[in-house]
């Protein structure tokens, strides 16, 4: 490729002196040059747009959704506790019915079932209180709350599958979503944010 060739379409036009090539693609840039037109440069990877170490003031959407889902689990737990307590009371009342006093199979079933239902009531109430405490810690909690929420989500999902299959399906879905939303990068950034 020769600029002196008159048939070269990339050469200097005839009759004009050749100019040195302009800096651009393929040529080294001079230091201290003003930025060109277009979009501003992005901050380096790992730094916030507002500067390094700027505190997060607003909870990310996925973390906020996890907090709402935790409160929904608290509400479902309260409803479940009320249903189990009502069933235990009704079964205990049926056990004292005179027409069923002679039925030994029903009496054995009622005695064992009543104790089991009251156990579910106590466990469900304790789990609801635990979930409520975790839901209130979303704003102020650190990485320990995040890890506890992950464990809470996993255990709730497992309990929703095995003992409470029919009514636990909603618990399972919510618990898996809580674990995912708290365990992702937004959850990690929120719970590990600097607090001043």
């Amino acid at each position: 490729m020769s600029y002196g060739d008159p048939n070269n379409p990339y050469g200097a036009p005839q009759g004009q002196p050749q100019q040195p090539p302009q800096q651009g693609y393929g040529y080294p840039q001079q230091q201290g040059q003003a930025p060109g037109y277009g979009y501003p440069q992005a901050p380096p990877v790992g730094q916030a747009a507002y500067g390094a170490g700027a505190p997060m003031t607003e909870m990310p959407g996925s973390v906020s959704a996890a907090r709402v889902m935790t409160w929904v689990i608290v509400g479902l737990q309260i409803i479940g506790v009320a249903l189990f307590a009502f069933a235990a009371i009704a079964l205990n009342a049926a056990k004292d019915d005179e027409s069923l006093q002679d039925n030994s199979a029903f009496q054995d079933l009622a005695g064992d079932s009543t104790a089991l239902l009251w156990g579910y009531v106590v466990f469900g109430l304790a789990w609801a209180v635990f979930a409520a405490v975790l839901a209130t810690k979303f704003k102020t909690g650190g990485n320990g709350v995040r890890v506890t929420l992950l464990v809470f989500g996993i255990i709730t999902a497992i309990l929703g599958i095995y003992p409470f299959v029919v009514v636990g399906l909603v618990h399972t879905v919510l618990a898996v979503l809580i674990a995912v939303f708290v365990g992702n990068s937004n959850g990690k950034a929120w719970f590990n944010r600097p607090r001043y």
Side-chain angles (χ1 to χ4, degrees):
M1 174 158 89
S2 169
Y3 286 158
D5 184 13
N7 295 325
N8 183 359
Y10 300 108
Q14 293 294 326
Q16 295 180 1
Q18 280 188 341
Q19 298 176 358
Q22 295 181 357
Q23 289 185 352
Y25 181 74
Y27 293 96
Q29 298 288 324
Q30 290 181 353
Q31 296 297 327
Q33 185 177 6
Y37 296 103
Y39 293 105
Q41 290 185 348
V45 176
Q47 290 185 0
Y50 304 110
M56 292 179 78
T57 56
E58 193 170 321
M59 189 181 301
S62 60
V63 178
S64 180
R67 181 175 65 169
V68 169
M69 290 178 204
T70 307
W71 281 115
V72 169
I73 285 180
V74 170
L76 291 173
Q77 286 294 117
I78 298 298
I79 292 170
V81 164
L83 290 175
F84 280 128
F86 178 75
I89 291 169
L91 194 60
N92 198 23
K95 185 171 66 170
D96 295 335
D97 188 13
E98 291 183 18
S99 64
L100 296 172
Q101 289 287 335
D102 296 334
N103 191 343
S104 63
F106 175 77
Q107 292 298 326
D108 290 340
L109 176 69
D112 295 340
S113 297
T114 304
L116 182 66
L117 287 174
W118 283 116
Y120 284 159
V121 167
V122 170
F123 177 74
L125 190 59
W127 202 250
V129 169
F130 181 57
V133 169
L134 287 176
T136 59
K137 295 290 187 181
F138 267 84
K139 284 255 187 208
T140 59
N143 196 44
V145 173
R146 178 177 167 261
V147 171
T148 306
L149 278 162
L150 283 168
V151 172
F152 169 80
I154 292 167
I155 291 174
T156 302
I158 291 170
L159 289 175
I161 292 172
Y162 173 59
F164 311 107
V165 176
V166 176
V167 295
L169 183 62
V170 176
H171 274 74
T172 301
V173 171
L174 291 175
V176 167
L177 289 174
I178 288 169
V180 168
F181 290 158
V182 170
N184 68 11
S185 60
N186 285 339
K188 184 176 183 180
W190 174 253
F191 287 106
N192 289 331
R193 72 193 184 281
R195 293 168 183 83
Y196 299 107

